[in-house]
Amino acid sequence: TWTVFPNCNGCTVEGIEYDQKTAQWASKWMSILHEFPGLEEAAQVGKTVHVGNAFAWNPQGGTYHVINVGFAVVKDTLDGTPAWKAALAEDGGKLIVPLCTTTPPELNNGRCKAKFHVFTRTQSGEIHEETWSEDVNFVYVGPS
């Protein structure tokens, strides 16, 4: 279920896509999220999609309630992309990222076996990690 945070006045859903065609497709689908059952509240939240490099993304002081990475990375890449964790809002901001289970990733048609890792920032600023037990096959992307 989509939940608009009570303290989320003025929040937006932001998408970053690597190429223009994918950004246009994502923008189209985000604009109609509120039409899906259970997502009606999405109409209350601003939505933007732009072309960019997720590995170079640096929100400069932005605080995000949720950051969902839509591709798998290896742990070294995650550790080398500190802006993803730094951008999390205090008291519950979450980063959800699939991490390949092997380094280097064992690829099968560009995909690796991965597990979802959820990083949560506490009110004191600490970041706790939780790993979901299910394996998923996810498209692997490494920084260029």
Side-chain angles (χ1 to χ4, degrees):
T1 305
W2 180 281
T3 302
V4 177
F5 288 92
N7 62 347
C8 194
N9 193 4
C11 289
T12 62
V13 174
E14 179 180 352
I16 301 171
E17 297 293 348
Y18 194 72
D19 65 49
Q20 186 64 39
K21 189 173 184 176
T22 307
Q24 289 170 341
W25 181 85
S27 183
K28 174 189 169 203
W29 283 104
M30 281 182 29
S31 71
I32 61 170
L33 277 176
H34 64 278
E35 296 177 13
F36 291 89
L39 298 178
E40 294 84 2
E41 290 186 45
Q44 301 171 30
V45 179
K47 296 167 227 30
T48 62
V49 178
H50 62 273
V51 176
N53 180 342
F55 296 110
W57 178 68
N58 189 351
Q60 297 297 323
T63 53
Y64 290 75
H65 288 93
V66 177
I67 300 170
N68 181 60
V69 178
F71 51 84
V73 297
V74 294
K75 183 166 179 4
D76 291 345
T77 300
L78 177 64
D79 293 343
T81 313
W84 292 355
K85 290 180 185 175
L88 294 177
E90 289 183 3
D91 199 16
K94 294 189 181 299
L95 166 64
I96 304 161
V97 59
L99 290 181
C100 296
T101 57
T102 62
T103 303
E106 296 173 14
L107 299 181
N108 183 5
N109 292 325
R111 297 177 176 270
C112 70
K113 285 197 186 292
K115 291 189 182 290
F116 280 106
H117 290 247
V118 180
F119 299 88
T120 304
R121 184 181 297 278
T122 66
Q123 194 168 22
S124 66
E126 295 177 46
I127 295 181
H128 295 277
E129 180 179 358
E130 173 187 356
T131 304
W132 294 357
S133 60
E134 297 83 18
D135 281 331
V136 291
N137 287 314
F138 236 94
V139 172
Y140 166 75
V141 177
S144 48

